[in-house]
Amino acid sequence: MRRTVRPGTPFPMDTMTRRSSAPPGTKAPGTNAAGTDTPAWHALSAAEAVGRMDSSHEGLSGPEAAARLERHGPNRLTPPPKVSALRRFLRQFGNALIAILIPAAAVMALIGEYVDAAVVLAVVVINALIGFVQEGKAEQALDAIRDMLSPQAAVLRDRERRTVRAEELVPGDVVLLAAGDKVPADLRLIEVKGLEVQEAALTGESLSVAKSTEPVAHGAALGDRVSSAFSGTLVTRGAAKGLVTATGDATEIGRIGALLSKTEQSETPLMAQIGSFGRWLTAAILGLGAGTFAVGVLLRGYSAVEMFQAAVGLAVAAIPEGLPAILTITLAIGVTRMAGRKAIIRRMPAVETLGAVSVICTDKTGTLTRNEMTVRTAITATARWTADGVGYAPEGALTDADGRRPEEDALLLDLARCGLLCNDAQILRRDSTWTLEGDPVDGAILALAGKAGLDARTELSLQPRVDAVPFESDRAYMATLNAPVDGDATAYVKGAPEAVLARCSHALGPDGPQPIDRARWAAEVECLAREGQRVIAAAVKDMPDADQIEPRDLDGGLLLLGLFGLIDPPRQEALDSVRLCAEAGIQVKMITGDHAVTARAIGEAVGLKGGVIAGPELDRLDEDGLARAALENAVFARATPEHKIRLVDALRRDGRIVAMTGDGVNDAPALKRADVGVAMGAKGTEAAKEASDMVLADDNFATIVRAVEEGRTVYDNLRKALIYVLPTSFGQAGIIVIAVLAGMVLPITPLQVLWVNLVTAVTLSIGIAFDPSEAGIMRRTPRPPTVPLLSGFLLWRIGFVTSLMVAGCLWVFIDAMGEGRPLAEASTLVVNALVLFEAAYLFNCRSLYAHAFRRETLFGNRYTLLTVGAVLLLQLGFTYLGPLQAVFGTAGIGAGDWLELAGLAAVLFLIVEVEKWVRAPRRKAA
């Protein structure tokens, strides 16, 4: 009977299992993605791994591979259960932004206004469609991870090399790797020849990792498992033979895919506040309607039918039908502005959430740093030279403590010449930009040689390359043999300091070769490493009459020339942005896969304040300890995907709004879990982009800070829009309540209410959405997520202006009816009064606290002026055009009426300004 298995099921062999010593509820080192205990393959020798897997260096036989494929399933990631398109669409109708509209459409249908109900429902459906499309894009994240698996693999089967589909690989297969290959499964390397693998997508390590067959510590972090290669990573140099140890969901990339599928996307603070506001508003409207109904029936003697119709009209008036559209437009304008500042928003509510961010968890490579290696230090026997400049441009100053020029130090020139000749890279000038072809370390050393005044073509013409020993991780150095046409050959060597120094017998000093002082040079290496610099040593050896070179020729007798110290330098704008974050009350935390020493040096360079802690230390902490560590430390090194999620959760439990940056597959679960996930657009994987809320087009930390500023502006404008729109809706409701209680004819009809709510209010409020950032916006502390959307002060302002609008409109209506004017004319006066009140109040709202008698407030936003002009034109059509008169029951009014209404609007504007002045000494930031 055929067994149904999940792709990538771990190898079910008793000889392969081990007892976990991990505490309950934790995953022991070496457990696979499915959570089943398996050997820590990286800690076993190659021979042990082959034996435990019941395989051989020649691979599996065809029948055995087929049997294992039947047992384990194909080497592909299991897709999650798909949510049907219909279900995703229906789910959008629970969105708080549109929930307010549904009762409005229902009451309109109840009173027979089917056309109006259809218009409101159309708004609801459009909002739902937008959410439906956005959610569909988010579900592509897992698909992007699956696409990272190699489509084909070179494998040994029946002692022959074969090319098979990657999904046919099974545990025990022996895979052959070469430069340019994508690793098709998790491998224990059993033979290596100069193998380097780019693992940034999994670990965040910016440089390729040199691999070997030597086992490493059982609890080694993912980035330190040099005896393993992981599915989805890229071979950049060399060749290898690897034993398949995990496939499909059991691989490291499969484990991340499982994390992503289980990670729930959190509700944004705006959505939570809008939901709370919607529930509060619905309860208030229902309460007001019920109270009006009861008073009318019990105290005023109206029939139940009459009062029911009045209550429905009250609901239509009180519900701000245009509010969701206003919020959506405000967010959309924020999206457009951010796109102009290199921040691409994928989920619209994230625009506002950025404004509440209190912690930014950022990657190091390419975000805080340039993702370009640069030689910062060159050390010879007599001097320590510091290099200016960034990137691969051979431009910048070289300085030492004595203020000499580079050409005055022969030892420096010898060191730079060695780095130039023992080099396989090229730096080329294209369109005024220097670009690298080759290894980043080689490119950085070439740039230093250019700064020292050496020209690559000239040096190579004087000493052409005769032979070379390529870099291999087992040797940890490369060497070239160079010889002038009529002279003796010289071997130039550069590589890891421990490998090169061990082969040196002398060091070059000002008076020639001197016996090497190993303690002194070891101290120099340690000093550079503490500064976060990657150290490369350079040496030479005279080889008279040689025309070829072998590694054994370099086992001793080398002459040390000096050391190069390389860094991935911080972006200048990152330094400025970290300082700006501190002023804005935003903590910046760096979470990286790099070693703690490197991470600490970069953290200090960019100005991060706090301690440094590494991933293995986090593993030993309980939840309380993790919460303290998350708050107290600013740099987290050797971090895994689980660490990132745990840190995000710890910070969010403490009430922080967290933005998380990332570019690799390993970052996708944390990006999805954070309040705002920020992916890198240039070097980010598709999986990271699809899991994010925002993509940085320029991979620049400064862009995040600019986006936070824009998010704060959007939030300010949303609050302005709220306190602008609500007095109009509440004012109309107040007019109806007072008219009912006083036994008056309704001054405004439900259809006229819709005109005001959906046409004029929305049009005018668009101007607010274009308001620029207020002065000092990035000197505020982040607002806590518990702060309500409408503070006590803003509620007072809404109530105060509502009262003014109700009083003004009732005065206009009573005055008109007292003069014996027709009802249609009186209602027209009331609607126009409301709209002019809105226009005047719009300028009050452009500055919530400061007075509006400023040029920038009255005339600084051209969109406000345009929308006021547009609304006045609409009102002329509403008042005088025959078709609109027939639809809305309006009538023409005289020029004197317009002057009187404009005067009342000016009075309202002045009263609100006086209220600002009176309350100014007592107000607090709301």
Side-chain angles (χ1 to χ4, degrees), residues 24 221 281 298 303 318 606 646 744 752 781:
L281 184 60
L298 299 177
S303 69
V606 299
R646 290 182 67 201
M744 297 166 51
Q752 291 168 347
T781 57

Side-chain angles (χ1 to χ4, degrees), residues 173-185:
D173 262 329
V174 173
V175 172
L176 304 177
L177 297 177
D181 287 348
K182 188 176 287 185
V183 180

Side-chain angles (χ1 to χ4, degrees), residues 346 671 679-693 695:
R346 297 186 65 255
L671 291 176
M680 305 297 112
K683 65 183 179 70
T685 61
E686 287 304 310
K689 294 175 189 176
E690 293 296 336
S692 68
D693 302 296
V695 178

Side-chain angles (χ1 to χ4, degrees), residues 394-445:
E395 302 163 351
L398 279 168
T399 57
D400 72 347
D402 297 328
R404 293 179 296 172
R405 295 193 302 271
E407 59 269 24
E408 296 174 354
D409 187 346
L411 297 181
L412 173 66
L413 295 179
D414 286 338
L415 174 63
R417 184 174 293 108
C418 176
L420 185 154
L421 295 173
C422 185
N423 202 302
D424 289 330
Q426 282 186 297
I427 51 175
L428 305 172
R429 191 180 185 91
R430 292 173 178 164
D431 299 328
S432 73
T433 301
W434 289 91
T435 59
L436 168 69
E437 290 186 2
D439 183 80
V441 171
D442 281 358
I445 293 175

Side-chain angles (χ1 to χ4, degrees), residues 534-549:
R534 180 176 180 178
V535 185
I536 300 293
V540 295
K541 184 177 183 179
D542 291 333
M543 299 188 66
D545 303 324
D547 58 4
Q548 63 181 14
I549 186 172

